[in-house]
Amino acid sequence: MRLAYLLGLITLISARRHPSLPPYLFGRPTSGGFTNHGLYLQDASLGSIQGPNISIHLFNQKIDHFSSSNETFEQRYWHNLNYSKDKNIIFLLIQGESVATDVWVKNPNITYLKLAQKFGAHVFQLEHRCFGFSRPYPDLSFPHLSTCTVDQALEDIHTFIQAKNAYFKYSNPKWIIFGGSYPGSLAALFRMKYPNDTKGAIASSAPMLWTLDFFRGSIDNKKCYNCKNSIRLYNLKPPFVANRTTQHDVDNFFANVFTFFQEVIQYSYNGMVCSYN
């Protein structure tokens, strides 16, 4: 329980959010915190790069691939040439619901970069639209959320690959795309939708059978905790008031309480927290 409390403090301290947003919304930090997904970022930046032959760029991407509008936004991507030996072998790391950083293109101990060294591949990393600094619009208000879809993200990848094929004049490009968790799902879906764009996809821990209201996670979390005597119950002060409390308020409250237990299980890594015995 102390660990859950500590994680909560870290999240609150590290969060940077818009003043009109609560610290948490449905169990997720509204900025910074565990995921650093950043619902609100005040200053766009290319960031900093440390390391030779690694560069960061902006790619003009259509805001809506399924409309006749030609409006574009700037999507960040990274390029690592340190391992390039065969010009036609290209690795693309797909980022997901967080701010992309250069760590994933400059740390030679990361598995896909070890593979890049082995096969002499060009390496790219593409930041996901609507997260980080790759924003079709400066905010995530409801009308703008229509551009933050899986279908739009898949078209971003397709457009990016086609543009780089033309720019670098790859004669026989062999693209391999990589992703983990949600980006892993994108990698698998992209491989199915555009099989001619890539030679393969590495989809690590990729949820493919998506389920609405996935209660199994709650059941598994319950199995992990054998510490019910250490968990204290508290009375709300002030309590919920029937005529002033909405269902949204209640859902948000319990999601914020429950998320600490989820975070302890998912990110403790050493397997010591969870026991199914």
Side-chain angles (χ1 to χ4, degrees):
M1 194 61 184
R2 289 181 179 178
L3 178 57
Y5 179 71
L6 177 60
L7 291 174
L9 285 179
I10 293 172
T11 304
L12 289 172
I13 292 171
S14 63
R16 185 180 67 161
R17 59 184 174 84
H18 190 279
S20 67
L21 292 175
Y24 293 87
L25 186 62
F26 291 117
R28 298 292 297 274
T30 49
S31 182
F34 296 110
T35 58
N36 199 29
H37 66 298
L39 289 177
Y40 181 88
L41 291 172
Q42 294 179 342
D43 302 310
S45 171
L46 278 178
S48 61
I49 287 290
Q50 296 179 356
N53 300 316
I54 301 175
S55 54
I56 183 171
H57 308 273
L58 295 173
F59 180 73
N60 285 328
Q61 191 72 261
K62 284 192 68 174
I63 290 179
D64 188 349
H65 292 282
F66 306 103
S67 77
S68 58
S69 172
N70 290 319
E71 287 185 284
T72 62
F73 72 98
E74 293 179 329
Q75 188 171 27
R76 295 196 305 171
Y77 72 94
W78 285 253
H79 191 195
N80 183 342
L81 287 169
N82 281 313
Y83 316 119
S84 179
K85 294 179 182 178
D86 187 329
K87 187 178 178 180
N88 291 310
I89 298 178
I90 313 104
F91 287 0
L92 172 60
L93 178 66
I94 304 169
Q95 282 294 344
E97 69 280 21
S98 61
V99 180
T101 69
D102 58 359
V103 171
W104 293 96
V105 289
K106 73 180 185 182
N107 184 344
N109 294 316
I110 295 176
T111 300
Y112 92 101
L113 290 181
K114 289 182 178 180
L115 293 173
Q117 296 174 52
K118 179 178 179 179
F119 293 102
H122 280 220
V123 174
F124 291 97
Q125 174 186 231
L126 185 65
E127 187 170 59
H128 195 294
R129 64 164 54 211
C130 301
F131 294 98
F133 299 103
S134 299
R135 300 298 181 102
Y137 298 101
D139 62 76
L140 290 180
S141 58
F142 187 76
H144 295 160
L145 287 177
S146 62
T147 65
C148 302
T149 65
V150 170
D151 289 331
Q152 296 284 2
L154 294 176
E155 294 304 311
D156 287 346
I157 300 168
H158 172 65
T159 303
F160 180 81
I161 288 177
Q162 295 299 314
K164 294 310 167 188
N165 283 341
Y167 181 82
F168 288 101
K169 296 181 173 60
Y170 295 134
S171 58
N172 183 27
K174 301 177 180 66
W175 287 83
I176 307 295
I177 53 177
F178 295 80
S181 191
Y182 163 56
S185 301
L186 287 178
L189 292 171
F190 185 81
R191 179 75 176 133
M192 290 188 287
K193 185 172 184 179
Y194 291 108
N196 294 328
D197 278 5
T198 61
K199 292 296 183 181
I202 307 298
S204 176
S205 301
M208 297 305 296
L209 300 177
W210 299 347
T211 304
L212 184 64
D213 191 16
F214 184 60
F215 61 88
R216 274 292 306 277
S218 301
I219 295 174
D220 291 341
N221 284 343
K222 183 179 179 181
K223 292 178 181 178
C224 283
Y225 281 96
N226 297 317
C227 55
K228 62 181 180 180
N229 293 330
S230 301
I231 300 175
R232 299 179 181 179
L233 298 178
Y234 296 90
N235 293 322
L236 284 179
K237 292 184 179 180
F240 287 136
V241 179
N243 61 347
R244 296 205 307 266
T245 303
T246 66
Q247 187 61 45
H248 183 283
D249 295 329
V250 176
D251 291 344
N252 190 40
F253 171 77
F254 282 107
N256 291 334
V257 172
F258 187 60
T259 190
F260 290 117
F261 295 92
Q262 291 176 308
E263 299 285 0
V264 169
I265 293 170
Q266 185 167 353
Y267 295 111
S268 60
Y269 297 112
N270 59 12
M272 298 298 292
V273 174
C274 190
S275 173
Y276 289 94
N277 296 329

